[in-house]
Amino acid sequence: MEKHVYVSDIATHEGEEVLLRGWLYGKRSSGKLHFLQVRDGTGIIQCIVSKKDVPEAVFAAAAGVPQEAAVEVRGKVAKDPRSPLGFELHVNDFRVVQGEQGYPIQPKEHGVGFLQEQRHLWLRSARQRAILAVRHTIIKAIRDYFDERGYTLVDSPILTPAACEGTSTLFEVPYFDLGKAYLTQSGQLYGEAAAMAVGKAYVFGPTFRAEKSKTRRHLTEFWMVEPEVAWMDLEGAMDLAEDFLVEIVRRVLQKHERELGSVLERDVAALQNVQKPFPRITYTEAIESIQKTGHAVRWGDDLGGDEETILCKQFDRPVMVHRYPAEMKAFYFKKDPKDPKVALGVDVLAPEGYGEIIGGGQREDDYATLKAAIEQHKLPAEAFSWYLDLRKFGSVPHSGFGLGVERTVSWICGLHHVRETIPFPRMMERLTP
Ligand code: 4AD
Ligand code: MG
């Protein structure tokens, strides 16, 4: 194909005749002029088709071009200080490559249910495009953060023999003569094995939970990054989580301040607050502070969405809540030697009501204690024998955490619901498109 120019590179072609390829985003006409907004995935440019400059057939084609039709435009790049891009195209040739009338998404308010059914097309809107770009930057920042600090990426399996985060949210898959497999809820247990091999490991992949909750924070398929570090205690995991989040937010601000502000209408100042140190409070302190607002909650209760919202609104940056009642935590948590009622776990809650984005802590490293915990949680001993081996052959204190990518995107972009944070969301009531 003939080489074409991308909108993102247009500044380097000022005054030149170029070929652009893209889709018709919007159109406005005034008698002798058509103003075509053409998007190519890298940006949107205004293309001006003037009756006096083009053959009649070209002018007519521009008049009838359907929304989201694929188009080729040739023209001269000219400076335009009024446009956000700074440039426009004076068209001398224009061709519709393909496109029918009747694009389902119109420039008006559509209900979210309708837009979700049209997700394959909805992704083309400026807002969804901005979210995809921020998500990409977050994922890149996550990888760079660990890669630049000596971590090794270790992929954990998606088909697993047992639960990591409790048995209630497992997706079952038939597995040949071996019976059942389960889609992974977390790669943590494998991350622990990896940490003993490479010292600092991170697992990054899709995770699955048969969540029956229809909330703005739950998906059935989501991406999680899980660092796991040998010779690290709970304090170390909190230091890591704090430094990691500051860096991710900094990277997104550096790259996308414009999209966040003008496309997503995000309060950017709130993100600029995300600096060290983050407040650290115990679960017990958290309960007391929620009770002071008049909200009924007791020590031992889980912090649900409502409680998290109340709590995180009290701070202008993420808050770390540590030492939860051991009873409500997964089997692998180490108990606090100073107070065995609580587990050495931490949740990081994002501000502005977003709630938990990170969960993690210090792992039980003693063989007998862990074996007893597996029995107490009625987990199948055979499936965990390899995990117990890690406590037999060179067991060391170790910690890690999991950051949910979608909740992070939701918070950083300022979105109400996680359904817009992943290209094709999977929820209890949605499996298409
Ligand atoms: O707190 P969770 O359940 O922790 C774990 O899975 C640990 N094994 C992680 C570890 O220590 N390596 O989940 C971690 C994070 C949550 O804080 C949240 O951000 C996200 O995963 N998450 C979900 N995101 C979207 N939809 C869901 N249903 C989620 N469940 C958890
Ligand atoms: Mg959690």
Side-chain angles (χ1 to χ4, degrees), residues 176-254:
F176 308 107
D177 293 342
L178 297 181
K180 281 179 201 152
Y182 306 96
L183 297 184
T184 186
Q185 299 161 311
S186 156
Q188 177 196 322
L189 307 186
Y190 298 97
E192 290 182 52
M196 300 309 141
V198 301
K200 296 192 271 185
Y202 74 103
V203 174
F204 198 175
T207 47
F208 305 86
R209 298 202 187 169
E211 298 271 13
K212 296 218 171 65
S213 29
K214 298 182 187 171
T215 79
R216 67 194 193 94
R217 293 169 184 165
H218 288 93
L219 294 165
T220 53
E221 176 180 313
F222 62 96
W223 285 68
M224 180 155 53
V225 61
E226 300 179 87
E228 190 70 34
V229 186
W231 311 103
M232 181 182 268
D233 61 7
L234 174 66
E235 292 304 308
M238 290 200 271
D239 293 343
L240 178 65
E242 179 182 70
D243 191 61
F244 173 59
L245 283 177
V246 167
E247 181 57 19
I248 288 176
V249 171
R250 192 189 66 75
R251 282 273 294 265
V252 175
L253 282 173
Q254 185 185 45

Side-chain angles (χ1 to χ4, degrees), residues 10 55 119 125 131 138 170 208 233 244 265 296 405 422 427-428:
I10 210 77
R119 185 67 177 162
S125 75
I131 297 168
I138 289 172
L170 284 174
F208 305 86
D233 61 7
F244 173 59
E265 297 173 333
V405 168
I422 184 164
M427 290 170 289
M428 199 182 159

